[in-house]
Amino acid sequence: MRRTAKDNRDLPHLSPVEKIELSESRVGLRLVLVLVLIVAASIAFAGAVNGLFTPQTGWQTIQVNASAGPTCGDEFVFLYDLGSGGAVLRAESREVTDVYSDACRKAFQLFHTVESFEGVINLRDINLHPNETLTVDQGLYRAFETMERSGDRTIYLGPIYARYSDLFHCEDESQLLDFDPYLSKEIRESYGADAAYACDPQAVDLRLLGDNRVCLYVSEDYLAYAKREGIDTFLDFGWLKNAFIADYLADVLTEHGYTSGSISSYDGFSRCLDDRSVAYAQNIFDRVDAVIYPAAVMEYAGPMSVVSLRSYPINEQDRERFYPLKSGEIRTMYLDPADGLCRSAAQDLLCYSRTAGCAETALRVASVYVAEELDTQELRELTDEGVYSVYSEGWVIHATQPEIRLTQLYQSEQAGYTVSTDQ
């Protein structure tokens, strides 16, 4: 019974978002939430980078070719400026679409933890062949290198993610007892045992051997435990998965010279590839008393990696990573490697960098966000590494970069946002 639930988090799931009930006394604020959801729907994904474009330019949303088969394309939006128009535009559109489609298919296969694919060594294959040397795609190897440099152990929470992800598909709260460590002492102890192995490099460690060769070391004790518990997934990028995929897609597009645009995932990871003087905007949200506000807009130009972390659902696909309880609590995918429990130190945290990719940026702030309280001092210290942050507290938007450009601050008769730059 321990590991029998089907792991289908990599498959599309388009069920409606669970409705979050708000107090009848907050009818006016409900309208704000409705407006925010309309805005979110119009850009397809919360946290997407929106270009400030004119109708005369060749800006288009690049769609994955239908013939590409299963891809990660339904989790990303790719906005691209196709240039001069006419026949040249159509030819360029075909070329960039082909490159993007191939990259989305390859990324889908490489980062898959449930299914294997012919001719591809992916996470599933590595999990099924512990203590064996395998040669992987260079893109996946780069992801492993980034993870190793960070020292973060989230990737080793595979056994917990394989079970915990089924929590988000529960149709009734009574079903949560099989997955939720906050509701079940047995589940909490089980996740704690899994996390103890995940945190121990002597128990499990992905060893990078050079030339794209890897070996997933798993100790004899952990292998015996895994056999007893029915575990066959040791590695899983978890909530970081699309951060790595965004970087992978960005690398492929850049290598092919397609940089006049931006890529955004539905779960908050964006890469602006554009080195021209084109204005982009990033929505900044805030959740106060179960109401979501469009707090401000961050405007910028030039290449940028943006990581938008939040503790609540806002779009249809968020059903895959959030479960609102009747009590008002929300379960999330942000699991703490220390014990396997979900934690969010703030309702919203936006982080960005011009020198690091999405994955590296997310890893630098992971321990700050996946925590009981937000360590604002550590956020300020991250500016020395070129990682800047935006977060809200009591109608004040705090930014760790003095030069940040924040516009469209939300104002109402009841309340409004002000900005403070933290030095």
Side-chain angles (χ1 to χ4, degrees):
M1 185 177 77
R2 169 84 160 84
R3 307 287 176 182
T4 55
K6 182 180 179 181
D7 178 11
N8 54 5
R9 62 191 177 284
D10 291 290
L11 304 178
H13 185 75
L14 303 178
S15 300
V17 172
E18 184 81 13
K19 181 180 179 181
I20 303 177
E21 293 293 335
L22 302 177
S23 169
E24 289 295 329
S25 65
R26 308 186 71 86
V27 175
L29 295 184
R30 286 199 209 202
L31 178 60
V32 175
L33 176 57
V34 171
L35 293 176
V36 171
L37 293 178
I38 291 173
V39 172
S42 70
I43 63 174
F45 302 104
V49 177
N50 302 306
L52 306 179
F53 316 130
T54 62
Q56 290 74 31
T57 60
W59 288 98
Q60 293 188 19
T61 299
I62 304 299
Q63 304 285 352
V64 172
N65 285 324
S67 60
T71 74
C72 64
D74 61 341
E75 298 188 9
F76 286 83
V77 167
F78 179 25
L79 297 175
Y80 195 75
D81 183 1
L82 291 171
S84 59
V88 174
L89 184 148
R90 289 191 293 273
E92 185 183 10
S93 177
R94 287 194 297 271
E95 293 167 1
V96 71
T97 297
D98 288 343
V99 170
Y100 180 61
S101 298
D102 289 344
C104 284
R105 181 181 64 249
K106 192 67 171 294
F108 176 84
Q109 296 175 348
L110 289 175
F111 291 86
H112 215 295
T113 59
V114 178
E115 185 177 351
S116 294
F117 301 89
E118 184 176 356
V120 175
I121 302 297
N122 65 1
L123 281 176
R124 177 63 174 170
D125 299 310
I126 297 172
N127 280 320
L128 294 180
H129 296 87
N131 301 315
E132 297 182 26
T133 299
L134 301 173
T135 300
V136 301
D137 181 90
Q138 185 179 40
L140 187 57
Y141 194 83
R142 288 174 182 169
F144 291 147
E145 287 180 317
T146 300
M147 203 82 198
E148 182 181 65
R149 285 194 301 269
S150 74
D152 188 278
R153 300 287 294 181
T154 298
I155 193 174
Y156 299 106
L157 293 178
I160 299 178
Y161 277 119
R163 186 178 190 185
Y164 180 78
S165 60
D166 282 329
L167 177 153
F168 304 104
H169 301 282
C170 292
E171 297 180 359
D172 185 88
E173 287 192 18
S174 63
Q175 299 173 340
L176 297 180
L177 290 173
D178 290 331
F179 313 103
D180 191 345
Y182 283 106
L183 299 179
S184 169
K185 180 180 178 181
E186 178 185 356
I187 298 300
R188 187 172 186 135
E189 291 175 348
S190 174
Y191 286 3
D194 291 352
Y197 281 107
C199 291
D200 184 3
Q202 300 302 314
V204 58
D205 187 45
L206 183 65
R207 297 174 177 175
L208 307 184
L209 308 177
D211 298 324
N212 300 326
R213 294 177 302 121
V214 302
C215 178
L216 175 61
Y217 167 76
V218 183
S219 69
E220 290 299 324
D221 179 55
Y222 192 9
L223 284 175
Y225 172 81
K227 184 176 181 179
R228 290 195 306 271
E229 299 297 322
I231 294 172
D232 63 3
T233 301
F234 300 97
L235 301 179
D236 190 326
F237 283 104
W239 66 271
L240 292 161
K241 176 181 175 180
N242 277 344
F244 284 97
I245 291 182
D247 289 341
Y248 177 84
L249 297 177
D251 287 345
V252 172
L253 291 165
T254 300
E255 289 167 4
H256 283 80
Y258 297 117
T259 59
S260 301
S262 66
I263 305 168
S264 304
S265 73
Y266 83 96
D267 51 352
F269 303 107
S270 302
R271 283 287 301 269
C272 178
L273 312 177
D274 204 335
D275 58 3
R276 304 171 300 168
S277 298
V278 175
Y280 285 80
Q282 170 71 41
N283 291 325
I284 296 174
F285 296 104
D286 186 28
R287 185 173 184 264
V288 181
D289 297 331
V291 180
I292 305 167
Y293 294 90
V297 172
M298 180 180 74
E299 296 182 6
Y300 66 93
M304 183 92 81
S305 298
V306 181
V307 173
S308 179
L309 306 176
R310 53 187 164 82
S311 64
Y312 53 88
I314 197 173
N315 60 56
E316 188 172 273
Q317 285 182 291
D318 275 340
R319 184 68 179 270
E320 293 293 317
R321 62 196 194 103
F322 294 104
Y323 193 102
L325 279 69
K326 295 176 183 178
S327 65
E329 296 178 85
I330 301 176
R331 300 294 183 255
T332 77
M333 281 288 284
Y334 301 115
L335 301 188
D336 190 335
D339 54 17
L341 301 182
C342 70
R343 293 188 173 90
S344 298
Q347 296 280 13
D348 294 87
L349 176 63
L350 183 78
C351 300
Y352 57 96
S353 176
R354 293 193 181 276
T355 57
C358 281
E360 187 175 351
T361 301
L363 286 165
R364 287 180 180 177
V365 301
S367 62
V368 182
Y369 188 76
V370 187
E372 295 290 350
E373 296 181 356
L374 191 66
D375 189 337
T376 57
Q377 177 59 35
E378 188 168 351
L379 290 179
R380 288 191 288 272
E381 292 174 356
L382 283 173
T383 61
D384 294 334
E385 302 177 25
V387 175
Y388 301 94
S389 305
V390 180
Y391 60 94
S392 298
E393 288 182 341
W395 303 101
V396 177
I397 300 174
H398 296 267
T400 61
Q401 184 182 33
E403 302 83 8
I404 191 172
R405 177 173 170 77
L406 295 177
T407 64
Q408 302 181 40
L409 272 67
Y410 174 80
Q411 303 290 326
S412 72
E413 294 182 359
Q414 292 78 23
Y417 287 93
T418 59
V419 177
S420 172
T421 54
D422 300 333
Q423 303 296 319

